[in-house]
Amino acid sequence: TVGWFARSHGGFLGLRDRRLTGGVQLSQRVEDVESGANTPASPRAVRQRTSQLTDGFALVRPLEIARPDRRSSFGVMGRLDHFRLDRDTDASNRFMVLGLFYDINSRVSAALDYQEMRPSDGSTTLPTETWFAHFVINF
């Protein structure tokens, strides 16, 4: 019998600065996938599936970039993911986040963002659009 098998690998490159924080990631996962009912009419079959993820994100404080001598509490953020469950097919999903954030003080931040999931090329994922309000409070 074939046991369950999976391995993942990838890389991340990032930049961390108060004015601009961002990163790009590429990753891949290889796993065994079973199909069939393990009967004479539908024998069990195992194949390897390779999934791929590419994503990038950025948090930008445009007022601090324009005037580096002054700190700004306001910023914009964005994230884009592209996920393909099986590289042998064209079906894939795109996930996007666009938003604004504001540091109320050094311990409290608030953010408002729009998130969207879009299938493409035959993906069966349901498209979604959502607005979120986030609060971060550090004790």
Side-chain angles (χ1 to χ4, degrees):
T1 64
V2 175
W4 186 81
F5 167 80
R7 73 177 185 275
S8 299
H9 58 275
F12 175 80
L13 178 64
L15 171 68
R16 184 175 179 191
D17 182 79
R18 181 168 162 79
R19 294 167 291 181
L20 172 63
T21 301
V24 179
Q25 176 180 326
L26 304 170
S27 59
Q28 182 172 294
R29 176 184 169 100
V30 179
E31 61 191 327
D32 288 342
V33 178
E34 293 184 13
S35 62
N38 203 17
T39 65
S42 177
R44 176 179 170 265
V46 177
R47 73 174 187 88
Q48 280 194 342
R49 174 174 67 193
T50 302
S51 304
Q52 297 174 318
L53 172 68
T54 306
D55 67 87
F57 71 93
L59 291 96
V60 182
R61 295 178 188 268
L63 300 176
E64 275 190 38
I65 291 173
R67 300 218 27 210
D69 57 319
R70 296 186 58 186
R71 290 179 72 93
S72 172
S73 296
F74 169 76
V76 296
M77 61 184 159
R79 174 180 167 176
L80 183 61
D81 296 359
H82 183 263
F83 178 70
R84 176 169 283 145
L85 182 62
D86 190 343
R87 75 173 178 194
D88 292 338
T89 67
D90 290 332
S92 62
N93 296 309
R94 184 196 64 169
F95 177 68
M96 178 183 69
V97 179
L98 297 172
L100 305 170
F101 64 90
Y102 184 78
D103 296 332
I104 297 168
N105 59 41
S106 64
R107 296 190 160 280
V108 179
S109 297
L112 178 66
D113 65 57
Y114 168 78
Q115 299 185 11
E116 175 182 280
M117 174 75 82
R118 290 281 175 237
S120 62
D121 299 322
S123 173
T124 57
T125 300
L126 295 175
T128 59
E129 296 179 26
T130 310
W131 285 91
F132 285 98
H134 306 273
F135 297 93
V136 177
I137 302 170
N138 294 301
F139 295 95

